[in-house]
Amino acid sequence: MKENTNKLIISFTIVAVVAIISIMVCCLAALGYNSKISMEKEKIEVESESNFNQN
């Protein structure tokens, strides 16, 4: 009985760790995607300002 309980605890621990890591990866990917979009917007703004300065 104790062996089954230990195996169950170990399996739940593995599942929890994998779930936490996958959530972290998804959050980091979402943050990276948002930062790329904001960087592209900033680049566009900088390019438009430099065009105004040249004229």
Side-chain angles (χ1 to χ4, degrees):
M1 189 71 177
K2 289 182 180 179
E3 292 178 6
N4 289 337
T5 306
N6 288 338
K7 288 180 181 178
L8 189 66
I9 291 172
I10 291 172
S11 63
F12 278 136
T13 304
I14 293 171
V15 169
V17 169
V18 170
I20 290 170
I21 292 172
S22 62
I23 290 170
M24 287 174 58
V25 168
C26 289
C27 290
L28 290 174
L31 289 172
Y33 182 72
N34 290 334
S35 67
K36 286 180 183 177
I37 292 174
S38 65
M39 286 175 67
E40 289 177 2
K41 289 180 181 177
E42 290 175 2
K43 287 179 183 177
I44 292 171
E45 290 174 2
V46 170
E47 289 175 0
S48 64
E49 289 175 1
S50 65
N51 290 335
F52 285 125
N53 292 335
Q54 289 175 354
N55 292 333

